[in-house]
Amino acid sequence: MLRWLIGGGREPQGLAETIGEEQTQNPYTELLVLKAHHDIVRFLVQLDDYRFASAGDDGIVVVWNAQTGEKLLELNGHTQKITAIITFPSLESCEEKNQLILTASADRTVIVWDGDTTRQVQRISCFQSTVKCLTVLQRLDVWLSGGNDLCVWNRKLDLLCKTSHLSDTDLSFVTGSHVGELIIWDALDWTMQAYERNFWDPSPQLDTQQEIKLCQKSNDISIHHFTCDEENVFAAVGRGLYVYSLQMKRVIACQKTAHDSNVLHVARLPNRQLISCSEDGSVRIWELREKQQLAAEPVPTGFFNMWGFGRVSKQASQPVKKQQENATSCSLELIGDLIGHSSSVEMFLYFEDHGLVTCSADHLIILWKNGERESGLRSLRLFQKLEENGDLYLAV
């Protein structure tokens, strides 16, 4: 485990936005390099307030201490690369708290681990294809495995062969596709609340009947990852980041070239901040800032209209423009650029008290620390040690 102090800005690599040497709003000025894997590390999952697990193409799961970076345990059981990992917490109403860890692999098995003892509870090997996705419906106390087939399981690991309508407390959920479709669904009756696709250009100089052929590669319009809160959907699309307002049903902020390569993961942080990572090896922190939209600035009429290519309709866009020309929009401002990985950064985890964790195709995990906070903790520990040894004297 290596501890580094970091600083400075990123040298421009392409068309993506850059930041200067002074990153005054970036708290992550120290890092710990964690080594345990022998291949691409693709997954991170938080176990509790101080532990997380990592997994990837070497088929092993490693449990870490998020505060110290110490390797706690190594779970071996799969014979091929791990394709999904998720935690299955016990219900709040359950007296016996027992968290499970579920891992899926290209060996066509799912292993269930005890989250406390990390012992192997059961291996499920009835799958006809690789399970590529695991998800939990917490309030129903069931979990789903997805490959060529979709299976629903209960906590006792019984396969629920006959499943009727399943619903959770969430009123809606979002799906995205590699052809640039984003659909907001009603979780109760499975109807579409909003549907956005295609890429139409609202620029006024085009004729109303003129159509622009798609010239972008499929990766440029692929929705690689998204997350959401009560107000917005935050989508990683190609190399860009887009913030879609659920209330306004339109994009309110975007960075079309947030990175030099595809954005693989995005998450919302406190204080209206976002973090993103990319195939270009970068990890970036953004701040969502409100701005008053000018009357002369065109307002997109649909979710992907800001992407800059497609069909236009002057007559349809004018009433929307007049109605929304004074509406509040937002901007995504780059406030931090974390340099540490030498290859694609697959995903990350955020710990409020312990910093940021990233994993990469370079086989490494990096634990990014708040430099000011860590300096204060080191000083506190030093004073405590001096006091215990009787070496601390206060000057009168």
Side-chain angles (χ1 to χ4, degrees), residues 131-190:
V131 173
K132 297 182 179 181
C133 179
L134 296 169
T135 191
V136 168
L137 299 180
Q138 182 63 33
R139 294 189 178 274
L140 297 176
D141 204 31
V142 299
W143 59 279
L144 287 73
S145 60
N148 287 350
D149 300 312
L150 179 65
C151 301
V152 183
W153 310 78
N154 62 17
R155 184 173 291 275
K156 297 180 180 179
L157 308 181
D158 298 322
L159 177 61
L160 307 179
C161 298
K162 293 183 180 180
T163 56
S164 58
H165 173 69
L166 295 177
S167 64
D168 206 344
T169 55
D170 294 328
L171 298 179
S172 61
F173 63 95
V174 184
T175 59
S177 78
H178 285 298
V179 294
E181 296 173 316
L182 188 142
I183 303 176
I184 301 173
W185 301 85
D186 187 297
L188 299 180
D189 58 14
W190 302 91

Side-chain angles (χ1 to χ4, degrees), residues 274-293:
L274 297 178
I275 186 167
S276 59
C277 65
S278 167
E279 291 177 347
D280 62 17
S282 66
V283 180
R284 295 188 150 192
I285 306 173
W286 309 84
E287 185 174 77
L288 186 63
R289 298 175 181 172
E290 291 188 357
K291 65 177 182 179
Q292 192 68 25
Q293 200 148 16

Side-chain angles (χ1 to χ4, degrees), residues 11 37 81-82 92 109 123 130 221 238 259 287 292 345:
E11 291 297 326
H37 290 277
K81 69 179 183 179
I82 292 176
E92 294 182 1
T109 66
R123 175 191 294 266
T130 299
I221 59 175
H259 292 264
E287 185 174 77
Q292 192 68 25
V345 180

Side-chain angles (χ1 to χ4, degrees), residues 34-48:
L34 313 183
K35 298 181 179 181
H37 290 277
H38 312 292
D39 209 328
I40 298 174
V41 188
R42 298 189 185 274
F43 305 105
L44 298 169
V45 62
Q46 183 172 346
L47 303 181
D48 49 40

Side-chain angles (χ1 to χ4, degrees), residues 212-250:
I212 299 180
K213 294 182 179 180
L214 296 179
C215 58
Q216 270 76 0
K217 299 178 181 179
S218 59
N219 276 345
D220 292 337
I221 59 175
S222 293
I223 301 176
H224 297 287
H225 185 250
F226 58 80
T227 187
C228 57
D229 57 19
E230 295 82 2
E231 299 177 355
N232 303 306
V233 176
F234 308 95
V237 186
R239 296 178 297 164
L241 294 174
Y242 295 81
V243 182
Y244 176 76
S245 170
L246 294 171
Q247 181 179 7
M248 297 180 181
K249 289 185 169 53
R250 67 179 182 91

Side-chain angles (χ1 to χ4, degrees), residues 10-26:
R10 186 181 188 88
E11 291 297 326
Q13 299 294 321
L15 298 177
E17 183 174 342
T18 58
I19 191 169
E21 291 290 328
E22 295 296 329
Q23 300 185 34
T24 57
Q25 298 182 70
N26 178 13

Side-chain angles (χ1 to χ4, degrees), residues 10-77:
R10 186 181 188 88
E11 291 297 326
Q13 299 294 321
L15 298 177
E17 183 174 342
T18 58
I19 191 169
E21 291 290 328
E22 295 296 329
Q23 300 185 34
T24 57
Q25 298 182 70
N26 178 13
Y28 302 109
T29 55
E30 296 185 17
L31 61 83
L32 297 173
V33 180
L34 313 183
K35 298 181 179 181
H37 290 277
H38 312 292
D39 209 328
I40 298 174
V41 188
R42 298 189 185 274
F43 305 105
L44 298 169
V45 62
Q46 183 172 346
L47 303 181
D48 49 40
D49 290 339
Y50 73 96
R51 292 184 307 159
F52 70 93
S54 59
D57 288 5
D58 55 9
I60 65 173
V61 179
V62 181
V63 179
W64 306 86
N65 184 308
Q67 181 178 9
T68 64
E70 176 187 3
K71 177 183 173 180
L72 301 176
L73 293 164
E74 184 174 305
L75 311 182
N76 294 278

